[in-house]
Amino acid sequence: MKTLSGLEGFRQEIDVVDSQIIEALAKRFEICKRVAEFKKQQGIPMMQPERVQAVKQRRRELAMQHGLDGAFMVELYSLIIQETCRMEDEIIEAQPQHH
């Protein structure tokens, strides 16, 4: 059973890092919501493909600098960006609240 209790420490460390990842994602999405509100007010198009490509490319390079797989990071950011676009669409399509 000593082996399992040793694993428990690693699992707790992973749980802490996962919490940090989720907090960071929540923070990122919060900023993206503010960007969407700004775009809506300024009449700027939501989807900007050149920005999306630049983000993916930079994250790929950053991942590789940290010894991570670049293709994995592009795939991960594709999911993150897909969720961001969904949230932006919700903001754009939302009707102004009348009191």
Side-chain angles (χ1 to χ4, degrees), residues 26-95:
K27 212 176 278 186
R28 187 186 198 282
F29 288 137
E30 193 50 49
I31 295 166
C32 290
K33 285 179 186 174
R34 297 195 334 247
V35 168
E37 291 288 356
F38 180 79
K39 285 180 179 178
K40 184 177 183 175
Q41 289 165 5
Q42 303 296 318
I44 300 168
M46 273 296 148
M47 195 58 194
Q48 301 191 317
E50 68 289 343
R51 167 70 182 157
V52 169
Q53 282 313 112
V55 168
K56 288 181 186 179
Q57 184 56 34
R58 284 206 293 272
R59 299 319 173 254
R60 180 180 182 280
E61 289 164 8
L62 191 59
M64 291 167 69
Q65 289 169 19
H66 287 274
L68 301 174
D69 184 272
F72 164 76
M73 201 55 66
V74 167
E75 218 172 305
L76 178 60
Y77 268 84
S78 294
L79 275 176
I80 291 170
I81 291 166
Q82 184 182 320
E83 177 62 6
T84 302
C85 289
R86 187 194 66 75
M87 291 177 354
E88 284 190 356
D89 286 343
E90 272 184 12
I91 288 168
I92 284 295
E93 290 165 17
Q95 298 304 313

Coordinates of all heavy atoms in Angstrom, one line a residue, residues 26-95:
A26 N -10.5 30.6 -16.6 CA -11.7 31.4 -16.2 C -11.3 32.9 -16.4 O -12.1 33.7 -16.9 CB -12.1 31.2 -14.8
K27 N -10.1 33.3 -16.0 CA -9.6 34.6 -16.1 C -9.5 35.0 -17.6 O -9.8 36.1 -18.0 CB -8.2 34.7 -15.5 CG -7.9 36.1 -14.8 CD -6.5 36.0 -14.1 CE -6.6 35.4 -12.7 NZ -5.4 35.5 -11.9
R28 N -8.9 34.1 -18.4 CA -8.8 34.3 -19.9 C -10.2 34.6 -20.5 O -10.3 35.5 -21.3 CB -8.1 33.1 -20.5 CG -7.7 33.4 -22.0 CD -7.2 32.1 -22.6 NE -6.5 32.4 -23.8 CZ -7.0 32.6 -25.0 NH1 -8.3 32.7 -25.1 NH2 -6.3 32.9 -26.1
F29 N -11.1 33.7 -20.2 CA -12.5 33.9 -20.7 C -13.1 35.2 -20.3 O -13.9 35.8 -21.0 CB -13.4 32.6 -20.4 CG -13.0 31.4 -21.1 CD1 -12.9 30.2 -20.4 CD2 -12.7 31.4 -22.5 CE1 -12.6 29.0 -21.1 CE2 -12.4 30.2 -23.2 CZ -12.3 29.0 -22.5
E30 N -12.9 35.6 -19.1 CA -13.4 36.8 -18.5 C -12.9 38.0 -19.4 O -13.6 38.9 -19.8 CB -13.0 37.0 -17.1 CG -13.8 38.1 -16.4 CD -15.3 38.0 -16.6 OE1 -15.9 37.0 -16.4 OE2 -15.9 39.1 -16.9
I31 N -11.6 38.0 -19.7 CA -11.0 39.0 -20.5 C -11.6 39.0 -21.9 O -11.9 40.0 -22.5 CB -9.4 38.9 -20.6 CG1 -8.8 39.1 -19.2 CG2 -8.8 39.8 -21.6 CD1 -7.4 38.6 -19.1
C32 N -11.8 37.8 -22.4 CA -12.4 37.6 -23.8 C -13.8 38.2 -23.8 O -14.2 38.8 -24.8 CB -12.3 36.2 -24.2 SG -10.7 35.6 -24.6
K33 N -14.5 38.0 -22.7 CA -15.9 38.6 -22.7 C -15.8 40.1 -22.7 O -16.6 40.8 -23.4 CB -16.6 38.2 -21.4 CG -17.1 36.7 -21.4 CD -17.8 36.4 -20.1 CE -18.1 34.9 -20.0 NZ -18.6 34.6 -18.7
R34 N -14.8 40.7 -22.1 CA -14.7 42.2 -22.1 C -14.3 42.6 -23.5 O -14.8 43.6 -24.0 CB -13.7 42.6 -21.1 CG -14.1 42.3 -19.6 CD -13.4 43.0 -18.5 NE -12.1 43.4 -18.8 CZ -11.0 42.9 -18.1 NH1 -11.1 42.0 -17.3 NH2 -9.8 43.4 -18.4
V35 N -13.4 41.8 -24.2 CA -13.1 42.1 -25.6 C -14.3 42.1 -26.5 O -14.5 42.9 -27.3 CB -12.0 41.1 -26.1 CG1 -11.8 41.2 -27.6 CG2 -10.7 41.3 -25.4
A36 N -15.1 41.1 -26.2 CA -16.4 40.9 -27.1 C -17.3 42.1 -26.9 O -17.9 42.6 -27.8 CB -17.1 39.6 -26.7
E37 N -17.4 42.6 -25.6 CA -18.3 43.7 -25.3 C -17.7 45.0 -26.1 O -18.4 45.8 -26.7 CB -18.3 44.0 -23.8 CG -19.1 43.0 -23.0 CD -20.6 43.1 -23.2 OE1 -21.1 44.0 -23.9 OE2 -21.3 42.2 -22.7
F38 N -16.4 45.1 -26.0 CA -15.7 46.2 -26.7 C -15.9 46.2 -28.2 O -16.3 47.2 -28.8 CB -14.2 46.2 -26.4 CG -13.4 47.3 -27.0 CD1 -13.5 48.6 -26.5 CD2 -12.7 47.1 -28.1 CE1 -12.7 49.6 -27.1 CE2 -12.0 48.1 -28.8 CZ -12.0 49.4 -28.2
K39 N -15.7 45.0 -28.8 CA -15.9 44.8 -30.2 C -17.4 45.1 -30.6 O -17.6 45.8 -31.6 CB -15.6 43.3 -30.6 CG -14.2 43.0 -30.7 CD -14.0 41.5 -31.1 CE -12.6 41.1 -31.2 NZ -12.5 39.6 -31.6
K40 N -18.3 44.7 -29.8 CA -19.7 45.0 -30.0 C -20.0 46.5 -30.0 O -20.6 47.0 -31.0 CB -20.6 44.3 -29.0 CG -22.1 44.4 -29.2 CD -22.9 43.6 -28.1 CE -24.3 43.7 -28.4 NZ -25.1 42.9 -27.5
Q41 N -19.5 47.2 -29.0 CA -19.7 48.6 -29.0 C -19.0 49.4 -30.1 O -19.6 50.3 -30.6 CB -19.1 49.2 -27.6 CG -19.9 48.8 -26.4 CD -19.1 49.0 -25.1 OE1 -17.9 49.6 -25.2 NE2 -19.6 48.6 -24.0
Q42 N -17.9 48.9 -30.6 CA -17.1 49.6 -31.6 C -17.5 49.1 -33.0 O -16.9 49.6 -34.0 CB -15.6 49.4 -31.4 CG -15.1 49.8 -30.0 CD -15.2 51.3 -29.9 OE1 -15.0 52.1 -30.8 NE2 -15.7 51.7 -28.7
G43 N -18.3 48.1 -33.1 CA -18.7 47.5 -34.4 C -17.5 46.8 -35.1 O -17.4 46.7 -36.3
I44 N -16.6 46.2 -34.3 CA -15.5 45.4 -34.8 C -16.0 44.0 -35.0 O -16.6 43.4 -34.1 CB -14.3 45.5 -33.8 CG1 -13.9 46.9 -33.6 CG2 -13.1 44.6 -34.3 CD1 -12.9 47.1 -32.5
P45 N -15.6 43.4 -36.2 CA -16.0 42.0 -36.4 C -15.5 41.1 -35.3 O -14.3 41.2 -34.9 CB -15.5 41.6 -37.8 CG -15.0 42.9 -38.4 CD -14.9 43.9 -37.3
M46 N -16.3 40.1 -34.9 CA -15.9 39.2 -33.8 C -14.7 38.3 -34.3 O -13.7 38.3 -33.6 CB -17.0 38.2 -33.5 CG -17.9 38.8 -32.5 SD -17.1 39.0 -30.9 CE -17.9 40.4 -30.3
M47 N -14.9 37.6 -35.4 CA -13.9 36.6 -35.8 C -12.8 37.3 -36.6 O -13.1 37.9 -37.6 CB -14.6 35.5 -36.6 CG -13.8 34.3 -36.8 SD -13.5 33.5 -35.3 CE -12.2 32.4 -35.8
Q48 N -11.6 37.1 -36.1 CA -10.4 37.7 -36.8 C -9.4 36.6 -37.0 O -8.5 36.4 -36.2 CB -9.9 38.9 -36.0 CG -11.0 39.9 -35.8 CD -10.5 41.2 -35.3 OE1 -9.6 41.3 -34.4 NE2 -11.0 42.3 -35.8
P49 N -9.6 35.9 -38.2 CA -8.8 34.7 -38.5 C -7.3 34.9 -38.3 O -6.6 34.0 -37.9 CB -9.2 34.3 -39.9 CG -10.5 35.0 -40.1 CD -10.5 36.2 -39.3
E50 N -6.8 36.1 -38.8 CA -5.3 36.3 -38.7 C -4.8 36.3 -37.2 O -3.8 35.8 -36.9 CB -4.9 37.5 -39.5 CG -5.3 38.9 -38.9 CD -6.8 39.2 -39.0 OE1 -7.5 38.6 -39.8 OE2 -7.2 40.1 -38.3
R51 N -5.7 36.9 -36.3 CA -5.4 36.9 -34.9 C -5.4 35.4 -34.3 O -4.5 35.1 -33.6 CB -6.4 37.8 -34.2 CG -6.4 37.7 -32.7 CD -5.1 38.2 -32.0 NE -5.2 38.0 -30.5 CZ -4.2 37.9 -29.7 NH1 -2.9 38.1 -30.2 NH2 -4.3 37.7 -28.4
V52 N -6.4 34.7 -34.7 CA -6.5 33.3 -34.3 C -5.3 32.5 -34.7 O -4.7 31.8 -33.9 CB -7.8 32.6 -34.9 CG1 -7.8 31.1 -34.6 CG2 -9.0 33.3 -34.3
Q53 N -4.8 32.6 -35.9 CA -3.6 31.9 -36.4 C -2.4 32.4 -35.6 O -1.6 31.6 -35.3 CB -3.4 32.1 -37.9 CG -4.3 31.3 -38.8 CD -4.4 29.8 -38.3 OE1 -5.4 29.3 -37.8 NE2 -3.3 29.1 -38.4
A54 N -2.3 33.7 -35.4 CA -1.1 34.2 -34.7 C -1.1 33.6 -33.2 O 0.0 33.3 -32.8 CB -1.2 35.7 -34.6
V55 N -2.2 33.6 -32.6 CA -2.3 33.1 -31.2 C -1.8 31.6 -31.2 O -1.0 31.2 -30.4 CB -3.7 33.2 -30.6 CG1 -3.8 32.4 -29.3 CG2 -4.0 34.7 -30.3
K56 N -2.4 30.8 -32.1 CA -2.1 29.4 -32.2 C -0.6 29.2 -32.4 O 0.1 28.4 -31.8 CB -2.9 28.7 -33.3 CG -4.3 28.5 -32.9 CD -5.0 27.7 -34.0 CE -6.5 27.6 -33.8 NZ -7.2 26.9 -34.9
Q57 N 0.0 30.0 -33.4 CA 1.4 29.8 -33.7 C 2.3 30.2 -32.5 O 3.3 29.5 -32.2 CB 1.7 30.7 -34.9 CG 3.2 30.6 -35.4 CD 3.5 29.1 -35.8 OE1 2.7 28.3 -36.2 NE2 4.8 28.8 -35.5
R58 N 1.9 31.3 -31.8 CA 2.8 31.7 -30.7 C 2.7 30.7 -29.5 O 3.7 30.5 -28.9 CB 2.3 33.1 -30.2 CG 2.9 34.2 -31.2 CD 3.1 35.5 -30.5 NE 1.8 36.1 -30.1 CZ 1.1 36.9 -30.9 NH1 1.5 37.2 -32.1 NH2 0.0 37.5 -30.4
R59 N 1.5 30.2 -29.3 CA 1.3 29.2 -28.2 C 2.1 27.9 -28.6 O 2.7 27.2 -27.7 CB -0.1 28.8 -28.0 CG -1.0 30.0 -27.5 CD -0.3 30.9 -26.5 NE -1.1 32.1 -26.3 CZ -0.9 33.3 -26.7 NH1 0.1 33.6 -27.5 NH2 -1.7 34.3 -26.4
R60 N 2.1 27.6 -29.9 CA 2.9 26.4 -30.3 C 4.4 26.6 -30.0 O 5.0 25.7 -29.5 CB 2.6 26.2 -31.8 CG 3.3 25.1 -32.5 CD 3.0 25.0 -34.0 NE 3.6 23.9 -34.6 CZ 4.9 23.8 -34.9 NH1 5.7 24.9 -34.8 NH2 5.4 22.8 -35.5
E61 N 4.9 27.8 -30.4 CA 6.3 28.1 -30.1 C 6.6 28.1 -28.6 O 7.6 27.5 -28.2 CB 6.7 29.4 -30.7 CG 6.7 29.4 -32.3 CD 6.7 30.8 -32.9 OE1 6.8 31.8 -32.2 OE2 6.5 30.8 -34.2
L62 N 5.7 28.7 -27.8 CA 5.9 28.7 -26.4 C 5.9 27.3 -25.8 O 6.7 27.0 -25.0 CB 4.8 29.6 -25.8 CG 4.9 29.9 -24.3 CD1 6.2 30.7 -24.1 CD2 3.7 30.7 -23.8
A63 N 5.0 26.5 -26.3 CA 4.9 25.1 -25.8 C 6.3 24.4 -26.1 O 6.8 23.7 -25.2 CB 3.8 24.3 -26.5
M64 N 6.8 24.6 -27.3 CA 8.0 23.9 -27.7 C 9.2 24.4 -26.8 O 10.1 23.6 -26.5 CB 8.2 24.0 -29.2 CG 7.2 23.2 -30.0 SD 7.1 23.6 -31.7 CE 8.7 22.9 -32.3
Q65 N 9.2 25.7 -26.5 CA 10.2 26.2 -25.6 C 10.2 25.5 -24.3 O 11.2 25.4 -23.6 CB 10.1 27.7 -25.4 CG 10.4 28.5 -26.6 CD 10.0 30.0 -26.5 OE1 9.8 30.5 -25.4 NE2 9.9 30.7 -27.6
H66 N 9.1 25.0 -23.9 CA 8.9 24.4 -22.6 C 9.0 22.8 -22.7 O 8.6 22.1 -21.8 CB 7.6 24.8 -21.9 CG 7.6 26.2 -21.4 ND1 8.1 26.5 -20.1 CD2 7.3 27.3 -22.0 CE1 8.0 27.8 -20.0 NE2 7.5 28.3 -21.1
G67 N 9.4 22.4 -23.9 CA 9.6 20.9 -24.1 C 8.2 20.2 -24.3 O 8.2 19.0 -24.1
L68 N 7.2 21.0 -24.6 CA 5.9 20.3 -24.9 C 5.7 20.2 -26.4 O 6.3 20.8 -27.2 CB 4.8 21.2 -24.3 CG 4.9 21.5 -22.8 CD1 3.8 22.4 -22.3 CD2 4.8 20.2 -22.0
D69 N 4.7 19.3 -26.7 CA 4.4 19.1 -28.1 C 3.6 20.2 -28.7 O 2.5 20.6 -28.2 CB 3.5 17.8 -28.1 CG 3.2 17.4 -29.6 OD1 2.2 17.9 -30.1 OD2 4.0 16.6 -30.1
G70 N 4.1 20.8 -29.8 CA 3.5 22.0 -30.4 C 2.1 21.7 -31.0 O 1.2 22.5 -30.8
A71 N 2.0 20.5 -31.6 CA 0.7 20.1 -32.2 C -0.4 20.0 -31.2 O -1.5 20.4 -31.3 CB 0.9 18.8 -33.0
F72 N 0.0 19.4 -30.0 CA -0.9 19.3 -28.9 C -1.4 20.6 -28.5 O -2.6 20.9 -28.2 CB -0.3 18.5 -27.7 CG -1.1 18.7 -26.4 CD1 -2.3 18.0 -26.2 CD2 -0.6 19.6 -25.5 CE1 -3.0 18.2 -25.0 CE2 -1.4 19.8 -24.3 CZ -2.6 19.1 -24.1
M73 N -0.5 21.6 -28.4 CA -0.9 22.9 -27.9 C -1.8 23.6 -28.9 O -2.7 24.3 -28.5 CB 0.4 23.7 -27.6 CG 0.2 24.9 -26.7 SD -0.6 24.4 -25.1 CE 0.7 23.4 -24.3
V74 N -1.5 23.5 -30.2 CA -2.4 24.1 -31.2 C -3.8 23.5 -31.1 O -4.8 24.2 -31.1 CB -1.8 23.8 -32.6 CG1 -2.9 24.2 -33.7 CG2 -0.6 24.7 -32.8
E75 N -3.9 22.2 -30.8 CA -5.2 21.5 -30.7 C -5.9 22.0 -29.4 O -7.1 22.3 -29.5 CB -5.0 20.0 -30.6 CG -6.0 19.2 -31.2 CD -5.7 17.7 -31.3 OE1 -4.6 17.4 -31.8 OE2 -6.5 16.9 -30.8
L76 N -5.2 22.2 -28.3 CA -5.7 22.7 -27.1 C -6.3 24.1 -27.3 O -7.4 24.4 -26.9 CB -4.7 22.6 -26.0 CG -5.1 23.2 -24.6 CD1 -6.3 22.4 -24.1 CD2 -4.0 23.1 -23.6
Y77 N -5.5 24.9 -27.9 CA -5.9 26.3 -28.2 C -7.0 26.4 -29.2 O -7.8 27.3 -29.1 CB -4.7 27.2 -28.5 CG -4.2 27.8 -27.2 CD1 -3.2 27.2 -26.5 CD2 -4.6 29.0 -26.8 CE1 -2.8 27.7 -25.3 CE2 -4.2 29.6 -25.6 CZ -3.3 28.9 -24.8 OH -2.9 29.4 -23.6
S78 N -7.1 25.4 -30.1 CA -8.3 25.4 -31.0 C -9.6 25.3 -30.2 O -10.5 25.9 -30.4 CB -8.1 24.3 -32.0 OG -7.0 24.5 -32.8
L79 N -9.5 24.4 -29.2 CA -10.7 24.2 -28.3 C -11.0 25.5 -27.5 O -12.1 25.9 -27.3 CB -10.4 23.0 -27.3 CG -10.7 21.6 -27.8 CD1 -10.3 20.6 -26.7 CD2 -12.2 21.5 -28.1
I80 N -9.9 26.0 -26.9 CA -10.1 27.3 -26.1 C -10.7 28.4 -27.0 O -11.6 29.1 -26.5 CB -8.7 27.7 -25.5 CG1 -8.3 26.7 -24.4 CG2 -8.8 29.1 -24.9 CD1 -6.9 26.8 -23.9
I81 N -10.2 28.5 -28.2 CA -10.6 29.6 -29.1 C -12.1 29.3 -29.5 O -12.9 30.2 -29.6 CB -9.7 29.8 -30.3 CG1 -8.3 30.4 -29.7 CG2 -10.3 30.6 -31.4 CD1 -7.2 30.3 -30.7
Q82 N -12.4 28.0 -29.7 CA -13.7 27.7 -30.1 C -14.7 28.1 -29.0 O -15.8 28.6 -29.3 CB -13.8 26.2 -30.3 CG -15.1 25.6 -30.8 CD -15.0 24.1 -30.9 OE1 -14.0 23.5 -31.4 NE2 -16.0 23.4 -30.5
E83 N -14.4 27.9 -27.8 CA -15.2 28.2 -26.6 C -15.3 29.8 -26.5 O -16.4 30.3 -26.3 CB -14.7 27.6 -25.3 CG -15.4 28.0 -24.1 CD -16.9 27.6 -24.1 OE1 -17.4 26.9 -25.0 OE2 -17.6 28.0 -23.1
T84 N -14.2 30.5 -26.8 CA -14.2 31.9 -26.8 C -15.2 32.5 -27.8 O -15.9 33.4 -27.6 CB -12.8 32.5 -27.0 OG1 -11.9 31.9 -26.0 CG2 -12.7 34.0 -27.0
C85 N -15.1 31.9 -29.0 CA -16.0 32.3 -30.1 C -17.5 32.1 -29.7 O -18.3 32.9 -30.0 CB -15.7 31.6 -31.4 SG -14.1 32.1 -32.1
R86 N -17.8 31.0 -29.1 CA -19.1 30.7 -28.7 C -19.6 31.7 -27.7 O -20.7 32.3 -27.8 CB -19.2 29.3 -28.0 CG -20.6 28.8 -27.7 CD -20.6 27.6 -26.8 NE -20.1 27.9 -25.4 CZ -20.8 28.6 -24.5 NH1 -22.0 29.1 -24.7 NH2 -20.2 28.9 -23.3
M87 N -18.7 32.1 -26.7 CA -19.1 33.1 -25.8 C -19.3 34.5 -26.4 O -20.2 35.2 -26.1 CB -18.0 33.2 -24.7 CG -18.0 32.0 -23.8 SD -16.8 31.9 -22.5 CE -15.7 33.2 -22.7
E88 N -18.4 34.8 -27.4 CA -18.5 36.1 -28.1 C -19.8 36.2 -28.9 O -20.5 37.2 -28.9 CB -17.3 36.3 -29.1 CG -16.0 36.7 -28.4 CD -14.9 37.0 -29.4 OE1 -15.2 36.9 -30.6 OE2 -13.8 37.5 -29.0
D89 N -20.2 35.1 -29.5 CA -21.5 35.0 -30.2 C -22.6 35.3 -29.3 O -23.5 36.1 -29.7 CB -21.6 33.7 -30.9 CG -20.8 33.5 -32.1 OD1 -20.2 34.5 -32.7 OD2 -20.6 32.4 -32.6
E90 N -22.6 34.7 -28.1 CA -23.7 35.0 -27.1 C -23.8 36.4 -26.8 O -24.8 37.0 -26.7 CB -23.4 34.2 -25.8 CG -23.9 32.8 -25.9 CD -23.7 32.1 -24.5 OE1 -23.4 32.7 -23.5 OE2 -23.9 30.8 -24.5
I91 N -22.6 37.1 -26.6 CA -22.6 38.5 -26.2 C -23.1 39.3 -27.4 O -23.9 40.3 -27.2 CB -21.1 38.9 -25.8 CG1 -20.9 38.3 -24.4 CG2 -21.0 40.4 -25.8 CD1 -19.4 38.3 -24.0
I92 N -22.7 39.0 -28.6 CA -23.1 39.8 -29.8 C -24.6 39.7 -30.0 O -25.2 40.7 -30.3 CB -22.3 39.3 -31.0 CG1 -20.9 39.9 -31.0 CG2 -23.0 39.8 -32.3 CD1 -20.7 41.3 -31.1
E93 N -25.1 38.5 -29.9 CA -26.5 38.2 -30.1 C -27.4 38.7 -29.0 O -28.6 38.8 -29.2 CB -26.7 36.7 -30.5 CG -26.1 36.3 -31.8 CD -26.0 34.8 -32.0 OE1 -26.6 34.1 -31.2 OE2 -25.2 34.4 -32.8
A94 N -26.9 38.9 -27.8 CA -27.7 39.3 -26.7 C -28.3 40.7 -27.0 O -27.7 41.6 -27.5 CB -26.8 39.4 -25.4
Q95 N -29.6 40.8 -26.7 CA -30.3 42.0 -26.9 C -30.0 42.9 -25.6 O -29.9 42.4 -24.5 CB -31.8 41.8 -27.0 CG -32.2 41.0 -28.2 CD -31.7 41.5 -29.5 OE1 -31.8 42.7 -29.8 NE2 -31.1 40.7 -30.3

